[in-house]
Amino acid sequence: MALKVLHVGKAGNMERYAADPGLMDTIELVDLPMGLPAEQYLRCAADAQVIVADAMAAITKEVINGMPELKMIHSEGVGYNGIDLNAASGKRVFVCNCQGMNASAVAEQTILLMLGVLRDVKNGDQAVYDGNQIIKKENYMKQGNLLELADCQVGLIGFGDIAKSLAKLLNAFHAKVYYYKRTPETKETEKEYGASYLPLDELLSTCNMISMHVPVTENTYHMANDAFFEKMQDGSYFINTARGEVADSAAIVRALKSGKLAMAGLDTLEFEPVQTDHILVNQPEEIQRKLLFSPHIGGITASSFRRGYAMIWKAIRDVADGKTPLHVVNRF
C-alpha cells in the first residue's frame, strides 16, 4: 500500500522535483499550503505517514498528535525551526532535514553580496541610470575605497556545510579566512578549508568582513547586536545569509549610522515576509545606500531543490521499507 504524504508548502513541488515521474505513483499525496489551521491539515490528512514541509512551515504539536500513523516529518530545506521537535520525539516520529542541499548555492549568494558591498554595486548601478557614471567612477578613484576580497580578512561565524563551501570559494579569491564556532575544527580540517580559528571577540576585531552562518537558537537570537558590532573595526562589512533573527535590525541601522559598518549585505531579515514598514527598508537615503538586499534566495536554486528532493524521496523509501532515514535531527 502506498504511503500517504502530506506536503505543506508550494503546490507542485513533490511532482516538480521528482527525478523519476514514476515516484509519484508510489505515494498518495495531499498538497496543502502553509499557514492553515491544524484542523484543516488533520481533516485532509490525519492518516498520513509522512509530512514534507517547507522549511518555514509550522508543524505544530496539534498536527503531530493528531496523526496516529505519522512516521516522519521531512523539511524541504535545511531549516526546521517551525517543527515541534519535542512533540515529534514524544511520538517517536523522525524529523529530518536536507543537510547540505544548499551549501554551494548559499555560499555563492554570500560571495555575490560580499562583492556587491565591496564594489558598491547598488549605488554604481543607480549612478549609470542617473547619467552620473563618470562622476561616480572618479569619486571611487579619488576616495580609493573599492576593495577586493583579497584585501579582506573574512570572519565566518559558524562553520557548517555552507561556511565550509564558502571558505573554499574565498580561498580562490585569496581572502584571509577565519572562523568561530563553539568547538574548533581539527588542524587537518582547517588546512583542508584554508581557515583559521579565532575566539569570537578576536575574530570581530581582526576581520573587516563578517559573515553569519549559524542557525537560530536561544544562544544565537540577536547574536549580532550593539555589543557585537561595537567590537568590529570601523568601516567593516556585515553579511547575513543565515537567518534574519540572528541579527538585531535596529543594531544594524545604528552600526551603519555610526560608521562602524560601511555596508551590510543581507539575504535574510527578521520579520519575514518583509513589509515596507520594516526598519531596515524604511530608512533615509544615507542609510539605504549602505544596504544591499536579496530576497532570501540564497538556497533556492533549481539544483538545490533537486539535491534536496533526492534526499526526501530516499527518506520516503527508507520509511516505507522500515529503515531509519538519513539526516534525523531529533532524538527519542
Side-chain angles (χ1 to χ4, degrees):
M1 188 169 109
L3 284 183
K4 187 168 185 176
V5 177
L6 168 63
H7 175 244
V8 180
K10 187 171 182 59
N13 273 4
M14 295 290 294
E15 298 94 334
R16 189 176 297 112
Y17 297 107
D20 176 358
L23 288 172
M24 293 303 300
D25 296 332
T26 67
I27 65 168
E28 178 187 350
L29 177 64
V30 177
D31 212 341
L32 296 173
M34 293 188 289
L36 298 180
E39 300 78 32
Q40 190 163 345
Y41 292 125
L42 295 175
R43 185 162 57 250
C44 298
D47 56 341
Q49 291 92 6
V50 173
I51 298 174
V52 176
D54 185 287
M56 305 297 285
I59 305 300
T60 64
K61 177 180 179 180
E62 290 73 22
V63 171
I64 294 167
N65 288 342
M67 300 177 70
E69 302 299 319
L70 188 62
K71 294 179 172 61
M72 178 180 72
I73 306 167
H74 207 302
S75 170
E76 280 186 309
V78 178
Y80 50 89
N81 301 68
I83 301 171
D84 191 322
L85 295 183
N86 290 332
S89 296
K91 298 276 288 185
R92 302 186 67 80
V93 171
F94 297 115
V95 177
C96 306
N97 74 338
C98 297
Q99 180 182 342
M101 66 170 277
N102 61 3
S104 58
V106 178
E108 285 187 6
Q109 187 75 14
T110 308
I111 290 288
L112 180 150
L113 290 171
M114 288 179 172
L115 292 174
V117 297
L118 290 176
R119 299 302 181 94
D120 196 23
V121 166
K122 176 180 181 178
N123 299 298
D125 175 77
Q126 189 60 50
V128 176
Y129 277 108
D130 293 343
N132 295 324
Q133 177 250 329
I134 291 298
I135 295 171
K136 194 70 170 174
K137 179 178 179 179
E138 289 178 347
N139 283 339
Y140 288 140
M141 294 170 68
K142 185 186 301 182
Q143 295 163 6
N145 60 348
L146 294 183
L147 301 179
E148 301 174 18
L149 271 171
D151 297 321
C152 295
Q153 294 77 44
V154 181
L156 311 180
I157 298 183
F159 205 60
D161 293 325
I162 292 170
K164 286 175 179 173
S165 182
L166 175 60
K168 288 200 167 185
L169 295 179
L170 287 166
N171 293 164
F173 284 92
H174 307 294
K176 298 177 183 68
V177 183
Y178 302 91
Y179 75 95
Y180 166 76
K181 59 179 293 193
R182 284 181 295 179
T183 305
E185 301 285 351
T186 64
K187 293 300 179 184
E188 291 76 15
T189 299
E190 290 186 354
K191 183 177 180 181
E192 178 183 357
Y193 291 99
S196 302
Y197 171 82
L198 286 177
L200 180 58
D201 285 359
E202 188 176 348
L203 179 137
L204 293 174
S205 63
T206 298
C207 298
N208 60 344
M209 173 84 74
I210 298 294
S211 187
M212 303 298 291
H213 300 284
V214 291
V216 180
T217 67
E218 289 183 2
N219 293 326
T220 63
Y221 177 79
H222 279 191
M223 180 182 188
N225 54 22
D226 287 312
F228 176 103
F229 292 120
E230 188 56 39
K231 293 169 185 173
M232 293 172 63
Q233 301 175 23
D234 290 343
S236 293
Y237 298 89
F238 178 73
I239 307 294
N240 187 14
T241 53
R243 284 289 183 264
E245 290 77 14
V246 303
D248 181 342
S249 298
I252 293 174
V253 172
R254 287 189 286 270
L256 291 167
K257 285 181 177 179
S258 71
K260 183 59 70 172
L261 290 180
M263 286 192 76
L266 309 171
D267 188 48
T268 57
L269 306 181
E270 56 182 340
F271 315 122
E272 292 187 3
V274 177
Q275 304 298 309
T276 55
D277 61 351
H278 191 289
I279 185 173
L280 283 167
V281 175
N282 190 27
Q283 286 295 316
E285 183 180 352
E286 62 267 23
I287 300 302
Q288 284 186 15
R289 59 186 176 82
K290 297 180 180 181
L291 286 162
L292 178 62
F293 297 123
S294 54
H296 205 163
I297 58 171
I300 63 168
T301 63
S303 292
S304 284
F305 274 107
R306 284 194 291 268
R307 286 189 291 266
Y309 261 93
M311 298 178 194
I312 291 168
W313 282 108
K314 183 181 186 309
I316 290 172
R317 290 195 297 271
D318 285 343
V319 167
D321 293 339
K323 299 177 183 177
T324 299
L326 297 175
H327 308 308
V328 177
V329 300
N330 63 330
R331 296 180 180 181
F332 51 84

